């Protein structure tokens, strides 16, 4: 017989979801109201404003898509591309590959710009590819590659798109609230994010924002968007300003309470403070990791503070360590992907989970676990080194 599910109390330090704060969980449990209730419509307006802050944009079309980050990704591609179009797609990890899939499913052609996993997107390569393909309509890239913990130069890439009369599609799923995202200063055109990474909200919602240039392109479409659910022209009638708020789908009402609360927490902390906190905790973690004798995989200049790629010592069983952390410490860290499968761990310090307590817990748990497995590590130094960063 099935019975009520009581999840264990984990500490989530993987690639997402991240720990959700009690305040956000409490908001989730408030009474459900109708999705066209005037009070809910008011909440929708506030969420849009709070999202404009999180994205640093004045874009009117800034809304949460009622589905996970992957749906936000798809929303950007299906609305900007039509059959026969060409898109330049940068790949330096898992998510660039998914972008290619999206382009091709729109009946468009993807021109790939490949960079090694663990390295940022090469601006020079993208410039060269634009010279060969001046007819590209879109440039798509991932700002914060969660599969490797690498940041790419979003500002320079958006500028290149502009210079070549293309629209930029930017994945900021892992970057929003963790590192600087500045949609208007970048001149980015279609940007999507997720709720379960540095916003520390429940999974399943994808904030998106479209520039006036992107909205113009959407309104000028002659080919129907292939997805009914993600067609922005239809969604604008539900979330848009100065509309009657016609029924399109039923928004996940309670999840929107949670998103609203997590955005309020972000607003109260202030974006700069949130970025600073992520940076500080990252520095402490790195100090501890290196004091233990382990190595960071990504070059210091390219590292994401919210996702840390750590080399697994020779002869140590990746899964055994992660299983021990989970069963003995209720601590989740992420496995490596692609080129890094079995070779590196991904330690997330995202949103609410980016705090001193988690950094120290993780260092301590890792040191004990690796020590018991006979890994050649320095004992008794990691926590001290991390604390020195906080001092
Ligand atoms: C997590 C993630 C996604 C996908 O988000 P889902 O909510 O899992 O669909 C897309 N891009 C990046 C960079 C991510 O980290």
């Amino acid at each position: 017989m099935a019975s009520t599910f009581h999840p264990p109390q984990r500490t989530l330090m993987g690639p997402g979801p991240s720990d959700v704060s009690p305040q956000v969980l409490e908001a989730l449990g408030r009474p459900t109201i109708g999705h066209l209730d005037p009070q809910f419509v008011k909440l929708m307006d506030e969420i849009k404003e709070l999202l404009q802050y999180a994205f640093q944009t004045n874009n009117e079309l800034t809304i949460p898509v009622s589905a996970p980050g992957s749906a936000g990704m798809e929303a950007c591609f299906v609305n900007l591309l039509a059959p026969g179009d060409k898109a330049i797609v940068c790949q330096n990890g898992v998510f660039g590959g998914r972008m290619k899939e999206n382009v091709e499913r729109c009946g468009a052609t993807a021109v790939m710009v490949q960079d090694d996993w663990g390295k940022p997107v090469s601006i020079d390569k993208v410039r060269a590819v634009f010279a060969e393909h001046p007819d590209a309509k879109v440039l798509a890239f991932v700002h914060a590659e969660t599969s490797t913990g690498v940041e790419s130069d979003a500002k320079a890439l958006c500028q290149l798109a502009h210079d070549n009369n293309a629209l930029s599609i930017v994945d900021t799923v892992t970057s929003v609230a963790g590192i600087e995202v500045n949609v208007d200063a970048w001149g980015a055109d279609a940007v999507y994010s997720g709720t379960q990474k540095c916003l520390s909200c429940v999974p399943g919602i994808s904030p998106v924002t479209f520039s006036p240039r992107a909205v113009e392109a959407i309104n000028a479409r002659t080919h129907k968007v292939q997805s009914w659910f993600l067609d922005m022209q239809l969604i604008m009638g539900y979330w848009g300003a100065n509309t009657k708020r016609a029924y399109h789908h039923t928004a996940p009402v309670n999840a929107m309470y949670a998103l609203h609360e997590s955005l309020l927490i972000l607003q109260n902390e202030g974006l700069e403070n949130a970025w600073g906190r992520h940076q500080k905790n990252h520095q402490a973690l790195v100090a501890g990791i290196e004091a233990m004798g382990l190595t960071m995989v990504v070059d210091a200049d390219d590292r994401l503070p919210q996702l840390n790629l750590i080399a697994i010592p020779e002869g140590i069983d990746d899964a055994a360590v992660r299983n021990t952390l989970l069963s003995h410490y209720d601590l989740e860290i992420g496995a490596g992907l692609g080129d890094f499968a079995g070779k590196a761990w991904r330690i997330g310090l995202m949103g609410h989970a980016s705090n001193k307590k988690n950094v120290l817990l993780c260092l301590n748990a890792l040191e004990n676990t690796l020590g018991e497995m006979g890994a050649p590590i320095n004992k008794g130094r990691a926590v001290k080194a991390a604390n020195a960063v906080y001092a």
Side-chain angles (χ1 to χ4, degrees):
M1 266 295 270
S3 59
T4 305
F5 179 64
H6 294 285
Q9 184 72 52
R10 307 281 201 213
T11 299
L12 300 179
M13 297 179 71
S18 62
D19 287 339
V20 178
S21 69
Q23 222 176 308
V24 172
L25 288 177
E26 195 201 310
L28 195 67
R30 293 188 188 133
T32 304
I33 58 175
H35 73 122
L36 296 173
D37 185 307
Q39 292 295 319
F40 188 69
V41 171
K42 201 169 143 254
L43 181 82
M44 288 165 94
D45 286 338
E46 279 193 24
I47 289 173
K48 283 160 61 180
E49 264 184 47
L50 289 163
L51 283 178
Q52 286 176 324
Y53 173 67
F55 277 126
Q56 291 287 280
T57 183
N58 291 316
N59 289 344
E60 203 170 287
L61 185 53
T62 302
I63 58 162
V65 169
S66 303
S70 304
M73 177 189 283
E74 191 148 341
C76 291
F77 284 92
V78 298
N79 282 281
L80 294 189
L81 290 175
D85 285 342
K86 189 187 271 187
I88 298 174
V89 175
C90 308
Q91 180 169 21
N92 61 337
V94 165
F95 293 100
R98 291 191 179 184
M99 287 177 152
K100 176 173 188 272
E101 275 291 320
N102 271 280
V103 169
E104 289 172 351
R105 284 164 197 241
C106 292
T109 308
V111 179
M112 299 303 291
V113 181
Q114 298 285 353
D115 279 290
D116 287 344
W117 288 44
K119 297 285 178 202
V121 172
S122 157
I123 309 295
D124 288 339
K125 278 191 202 169
V126 174
R127 189 179 291 113
V129 170
F130 259 126
E132 264 176 68
H133 301 275
D135 54 336
K137 190 176 172 198
V138 157
L139 170 68
F141 65 92
V142 179
H143 178 217
E145 208 5 294
T146 323
S147 60
T148 59
V150 167
E151 177 178 6
S152 288
D153 188 343
K155 188 166 195 232
L157 288 165
C158 289
Q159 184 64 50
L160 262 183
H162 248 267
D163 294 347
N164 287 279
N165 216 15
L167 296 163
S168 49
I169 295 181
V170 190
D171 180 318
T172 62
V173 174
T174 285
S175 45
V176 163
I179 53 174
E180 182 173 359
V181 169
N182 205 328
V183 168
D184 284 2
W186 294 348
D189 294 303
V191 183
Y192 60 93
S193 191
T195 45
Q196 79 276 29
K197 315 264 167 131
C198 296
L199 284 173
S200 271
C201 184
V202 290
I205 311 172
S206 178
V208 297
T209 183
F210 291 87
S211 73
R213 235 162 52 108
V215 172
E216 217 173 280
I218 293 169
N219 287 334
R221 285 183 70 97
T222 50
H223 186 275
K224 253 191 190 179
V225 170
Q226 75 194 54
S227 162
W228 176 85
F229 184 66
L230 296 172
D231 184 338
M232 277 300 145
Q233 297 222 42
L234 302 178
I235 291 177
M236 278 186 251
Y238 184 49
W239 276 97
N242 314 314
T243 60
K244 276 188 40 231
R245 300 296 171 101
Y247 167 62
H248 174 261
H249 65 279
T250 309
V253 171
N254 292 59
M256 290 301 163
Y257 302 165
L259 176 59
H260 181 262
E261 194 66 29
S262 69
L263 291 167
L264 277 184
I265 292 172
L266 177 65
Q267 187 187 54
N268 289 338
E269 180 176 20
L271 274 176
E272 274 95 3
N273 292 332
W275 302 334
R277 174 170 53 80
H278 281 85
Q279 191 58 40
K280 186 69 152 190
N281 291 315
H282 162 72
Q283 283 164 357
L285 180 76
V286 171
I289 287 291
E290 291 179 341
M292 215 187 293
L294 299 177
T295 47
M296 301 293 295
V297 179
V298 174
D299 291 343
D301 284 350
D302 306 327
R303 285 176 199 158
L304 290 174
Q306 63 273 51
L307 199 286
N308 299 272
L309 195 63
I310 286 140
I312 299 174
E314 199 75 37
I316 292 296
D317 180 359
D318 165 32
V321 172
R322 284 184 293 107
N323 290 339
T324 303
L325 294 178
L326 196 64
S327 57
H328 293 192
Y329 300 89
D330 273 313
L331 172 62
E332 178 181 285
I333 66 167
L337 291 179
D339 297 355
F340 297 112
K343 298 197 180 110
W345 291 304
R346 290 182 300 155
I347 299 185
L349 282 168
M350 297 182 178
H352 184 64
S354 177
N355 63 59
K356 180 176 170 180
K357 186 168 146 264
N358 282 1
V359 168
L360 300 184
L361 164 75
C362 181
L363 290 171
N364 195 45
L366 207 52
E367 178 176 323
N368 289 342
T369 305
L370 287 174
E372 280 160 19
M373 290 180 179
I377 52 161
N378 307 316
K379 291 188 188 152
R381 294 187 196 168
V383 167
K384 240 181 251 170
N387 270 323
V389 172
Y390 291 117

